[in-house]
Amino acid sequence: MAVLITLSDYKEYKKVTSTTRDGKIQALITQVSKLIENYCNRHFNDYVNTDKVEWFDAYTNKVYVSEFPLISVTSVKTSTDGGITQTTLTEEDPSGGGYFVDLDNDAILTQNKLNNFLDSYDVSYRSLEVSYRAGYNVIPGDLEWAVLDLVHYYESNETKRTQTLLVATVDNPLPYA
C-alpha cells in the first residue's frame, strides 16, 4: 500500500512550515490512504511499477483486470492442467492463439481457437494467468483533494473534545435558547 499524497503536499496545502507535527501528519496520511483504498476496494498506485498477477478461468474470451486504469500487459499464460504447466501467449498472434489488450476498457481479449480457448475450455481453475501493470503515476486531482481534506479533518479534530448529543425527553425537555 502506497500513500496517496506526500507530507510536503499536505504542508503546502495547509501552509504549514513547522516540523513539530510531521510524524503525526505522516501517520494520518498513511491511515487515510489505507481508508480510501479499502473503501474503494482497489489500489491506486501500487502496481504502476510492479506487476500484479491475476488468474481467470477459460470460460470467457474477455477478462477484466481488478486494478485500473490498465497501463500495460506483461504476459498472458494459459494452462490446461490448472496452472501447473503454462504456455505463454503472444499479443496479437496472427495464428489465432494469442491475446489483445483493450486499454480503454481495462480488459484482455483472448483469441479463440476452434471455439475452445486454446483447447482448455473444460479446465477452468487457474487456466489463464495475466500479469499486468495498472494505476496512476500521478494521483488524480479529485482523489488528492479528498485525501488532503480527510487528513485535515482528522488532524484538526484530534485535539477537540468529544461532544455529546443532547436528547430531549418528556421528563427532560431541552431548554429553549
Side-chain angles (χ1 to χ4, degrees):
M1 204 258 15
V3 293
L4 300 175
I5 63 169
T6 65
L7 178 61
S8 61
D9 290 338
Y10 180 78
K11 290 176 82 169
E12 181 180 328
Y13 169 69
K14 292 304 297 169
K15 298 185 180 16
V16 174
T17 56
S18 171
T19 59
T20 56
R21 296 194 43 83
D22 283 2
K24 188 65 147 181
I25 293 169
Q26 186 61 57
L28 285 170
I29 289 170
T30 301
Q31 291 305 313
V32 165
S33 295
K34 283 182 186 178
L35 180 142
I36 289 173
E37 286 190 344
N38 286 337
Y39 182 80
C40 294
N41 194 27
R42 63 172 289 208
H43 300 94
F44 292 98
N45 56 3
D46 287 0
Y47 300 105
V48 171
N49 298 314
T50 305
D51 285 352
K52 171 144 187 178
V53 178
E54 291 185 53
W55 291 270
F56 302 92
D57 65 31
Y59 295 125
T60 182
N61 64 348
K62 187 174 193 178
V63 294
Y64 294 95
V65 294
S66 64
E67 301 296 333
F68 51 91
L70 183 61
I71 297 171
S72 65
V73 174
T74 307
S75 68
V76 176
K77 299 175 184 175
T78 188
S79 175
T80 58
D81 57 7
I84 297 170
T85 58
Q86 296 179 321
T87 303
T88 302
L89 305 181
T90 306
E91 187 172 2
E92 300 179 19
D93 186 353
S95 70
Y99 66 95
F100 293 101
V101 178
D102 182 356
L103 293 176
D104 293 333
N105 294 307
D106 303 311
I108 291 97
L109 297 95
T110 57
Q111 294 173 285
N112 287 326
K113 184 177 180 183
L114 303 173
N115 295 325
N116 291 331
F117 172 65
L118 299 171
D119 300 326
S120 63
Y121 193 75
D122 59 337
V123 179
S124 65
Y125 178 70
R126 296 173 73 93
S127 58
L128 188 66
E129 177 185 297
V130 177
S131 178
Y132 67 96
R133 294 191 180 192
Y136 296 101
N137 286 312
V138 177
I139 297 298
D142 55 350
L143 179 59
E144 183 179 7
W145 277 101
V147 177
L148 290 168
D149 283 346
L150 275 173
V151 171
H152 171 68
Y153 172 80
Y154 287 120
E155 195 223 351
S156 63
N157 284 329
E158 74 179 24
T159 58
K160 292 182 181 175
R161 286 183 32 224
T162 304
Q163 298 177 0
T164 58
L165 178 64
L166 297 175
V167 178
T169 63
V170 174
D171 297 328
N172 186 20
L174 291 175
Y176 290 102

